[in-house]
Amino acid sequence: MTVPDFGRRDPDERGYFGEYGGRFVPETLVAPVEELEQAYRQAREDPAFSADLEALLRHYVGRPTPVYEATRLRAALEAEAGPEGVARIFLKREDLAHTGAHKINNALGQALLAVRMGKRRVVAETGAGQHGVATATACALLGLDCEVYMGADDMRRQALNVYRMRLLGATVSQVDAGSRTLKDAINEAMRDWVTNVQDTYYLLGSVLGPHPYPLMVREFQSVIGREARTQMDELVGRMPDAVVACVGGGSNALGIFDGFVDDANVALIGVEAGGEALVAGRHAARFATGVAGVLQGTRSYLLQDLDGNIEPTHSVSAGLDYAAVGPEHAWLRDLGRARYASASDDEALAAFRLLARTEGILPALESAHAVSHACRVARELGRDRILVVNLSGRGDKDVDAIRARETVEG
Amino acid sequence: MSRLERTFETLRRRGRPGLVTFTTAGDPDLERSAAILRALDRAGADVLEVGVPFSDPLADGPVIQRASERALRAGATLARVLDLVAAVRPDISAGIVLFSYANPIVRMGTTPFVERAASAGVDGVLVLDLPIEEADRFRDRTIEAGIDPIFLLSPTTTDARIRRAAELGRGFLYGISRLGVTGARDAIATGAEALVARIRSATDLPIALGFGISRPEHVAEVGRWADAAVVGSALIEVIARAAPDRVLDDVERYVRWLRGESGATAPSATMPATAGER
């Protein structure tokens, strides 16, 4: 196929990436999202805004995050590999960013925007709690009121992050509706926004929702890809053969993909949550069994039934446990520019343990999905090839859940 | 002239404010839902909004969320809601407006949807998360099928968009009295009258005003500036609280009470006008 020219890859005026995206919001939110788009576009062109954000990313977040070559992980894979060997694996260490995940990049960017727009109150949703923690952190830093909506099931799975958010001064509100996970937290955050729109900023945590969120969140996360590109050039003097990242909504993946999307020779690989099995209700691999539809403001691939209701999802990782995927991913996939695979719960847990023992790194369970599939890709690529994995977050938050699972499993 | 246009023309001629009801189709189940629609019509409701239950009703408050959950558990789907409308249509003189989120319609496909809706006797369609910018093709198809596209206007809607909605809409415009999700309130929001005035200055299309209306005095107040008042969450509460053998009686009594019929009293199951929840 012909390789499309990506350029800056902004969506069209109506917020569409190809046939995905758009702005499917209740009437009350039309004016607020238009106001947001205007404010974002002005901020994006304003050198003072960029300078403020860059200073925070450098001195507060600790950017650039390192790229680290996982040689002992590779050696462990080599031990079982055939004569073709295993590719070199580099980890982009977003787990070392302040608050422990890439989410802080976007949270700070949008919180600065909220201040610029004169909003004093921020609402957010969270799944794994990483975006909630990042938002609570940014609000503490900038003196904004913060309320985070979180599904009841996720609050149980990620109890430590709930406590962290409260320590940071945020109000965490439990959501008991629907599947009591990320999707329901987004519904509730949007209900809050639609009610309090005059003084409230909705700080959405992924490349989801109505335009301009998918664009804006990607742009705030694209610092990952820009750094990784420079770092790979410094470390190995060339571009990697593949870039692998986990995809819930897909912000860490688009953040790193963005640095390489113009290089047609770099394979971009997203990894979804395969859960227990690729059967309705037991996974969150939208590209495996999903169909295009409209949810929470945007048109993309959805796990839905024949009547258009959203199916329940499952993943061991709360951050990937979501029925829709960012519209730009759907577009990149249709174009053939990115491809998508899945890793099961068990595969992710095995990768978690492998990385812990070989490299002394506890990855977030979300990121462990990327590590799992990256090991497969490294074997397929063979020796002399190079791949980069976005290690999007650290796994401290998951330790309790993993221990509880081990107790059950004996 | 469409049925909705006739309905509002008659209301204006008689100088009487209309009453629009909202119920979730399939709540508590499809059979009783059909009987409730007939009861609403008997009691004199002018337009029946029929909500299609959806798994993720992000524009709705708790009362309609719970109604959606009950309806989905009872097996209500868009296809079955259209069958329900087809079944009750011959018995009902009120206009029927389908209220839906976009995805069930997207999943069915716009063309099959408008064909089935037209043959079921649906008079109008309002899609909550399909603002005018996303609605162009859908709007044209519904008009071709003889169905009125209804657009929603909010206090945050700009005058330019009100004019656009007035150009594109048919039947009536649905104004929401305040920001936020659906639900009854003690009093009508103070910005509601201003919104109606802004819409009036842009168009002659009839205006139904909803969100937060639960009592006859609310209906009467809204009727002073708008063409009709919409009652939803409070009606759903009446249905949810009624004893199983009293549902239809309570629904009829509630609607007659709202309309200010002489001698009509509130059914015992009417919730007090507290901050609950369209």
Side-chain angles (χ1 to χ4, degrees), chain A residues 177-261:
Chain A
S179 58
R180 298 182 296 277
T181 58
L182 177 59
K183 167 177 78 78
D184 311 285
I186 294 177
N187 286 337
E188 211 53 46
M190 287 185 114
R191 289 183 187 117
D192 183 314
W193 192 30
V194 86
T195 306
N196 301 299
V197 72
Q198 269 136 354
D199 71 340
T200 297
Y201 183 95
Y202 179 27
L203 208 160
L204 182 54
S206 195
V207 284
L208 299 166
H211 178 59
Y213 284 104
L215 165 68
M216 178 166 72
V217 177
R218 180 197 79 194
E219 289 293 281
F220 286 138
Q221 292 295 359
S222 64
V223 63
I224 304 171
R226 276 197 302 279
E227 287 176 7
R229 192 185 168 85
T230 307
Q231 288 163 322
M232 290 310 291
D233 192 40
E234 287 167 4
L235 284 166
V236 296
R238 73 171 178 94
M239 289 299 106
D241 299 286
V243 175
V244 182
C246 65
V247 181
S251 69
N252 91 78
L254 282 183
I256 195 162
F257 287 180
D258 199 65
F260 302 95
V261 73

Side-chain angles (χ1 to χ4, degrees), chain B residues 6-244:
Chain B
R6 281 200 305 276
T7 298
F8 282 98
E9 195 185 71
T10 306
L11 287 170
R12 280 183 179 176
R13 208 168 49 232
R14 293 180 184 165
R16 173 174 83 77
L19 181 69
V20 178
T21 61
F22 175 93
T23 51
T24 298
D27 173 34
D29 56 51
L30 285 158
E31 197 181 322
R32 278 184 283 178
S33 187
I36 287 166
L37 292 176
R38 292 189 182 97
L40 292 167
D41 185 58
R42 272 199 306 277
D46 299 288
V47 176
L48 311 183
E49 289 179 352
V50 176
V52 178
F54 180 51
S55 55
D56 293 83
L58 62 77
D60 283 302
V63 168
I64 294 178
Q65 287 177 49
R66 297 294 98 75
S68 272
E69 287 166 9
R70 289 192 294 271
L72 290 170
R73 273 200 302 276
T77 60
L78 176 57
R80 286 187 178 150
V81 172
L82 291 172
D83 291 344
L84 170 75
V85 171
V88 300
R89 177 76 273 181
D91 313 331
I92 285 178
S93 59
I96 295 180
V97 173
L98 216 60
F99 241 66
S100 184
Y101 287 85
N103 201 52
I105 294 172
V106 170
R107 184 70 163 129
M108 182 177 278
T110 297
T111 303
F113 167 75
V114 294
E115 283 169 2
R116 290 175 73 166
S119 74
V122 167
D123 299 298
V125 179
L126 190 154
V127 187
L128 277 157
D129 50 352
L130 200 70
I132 48 180
E133 289 79 2
E134 299 287 352
D136 31 10
R137 203 173 70 97
F138 180 76
R139 179 257 179 200
D140 294 348
R141 291 282 164 79
T142 53
I143 287 181
E144 283 160 28
I147 297 172
D148 290 331
I150 315 290
F151 290 106
L152 199 143
L153 302 171
S154 130
T156 60
T157 305
T158 60
D159 288 343
R161 294 186 83 255
I162 288 177
R163 285 193 297 275
R164 186 88 183 115
E167 278 165 30
L168 296 173
R170 296 282 188 278
F172 65 95
L173 291 166
Y174 186 151
I176 58 175
S177 61
R178 56 179 165 75
L179 305 180
V181 292
T182 55
R185 293 292 187 279
D186 286 341
I188 305 303
T190 47
E193 190 175 356
L195 173 66
V196 172
R198 285 205 293 138
I199 301 172
R200 285 270 188 250
S201 69
T203 179
D204 291 331
L205 272 179
I207 302 164
L209 192 83
F211 276 35
I213 296 169
S214 61
R215 303 177 60 82
E217 54 269 32
H218 299 160
V219 174
E221 186 187 346
V222 166
R224 283 197 282 278
W225 3 286
D227 296 87
V230 187
V231 178
S233 291
L235 172 59
I236 285 170
E237 282 283 273
V238 167
I239 294 166
R241 287 167 183 226

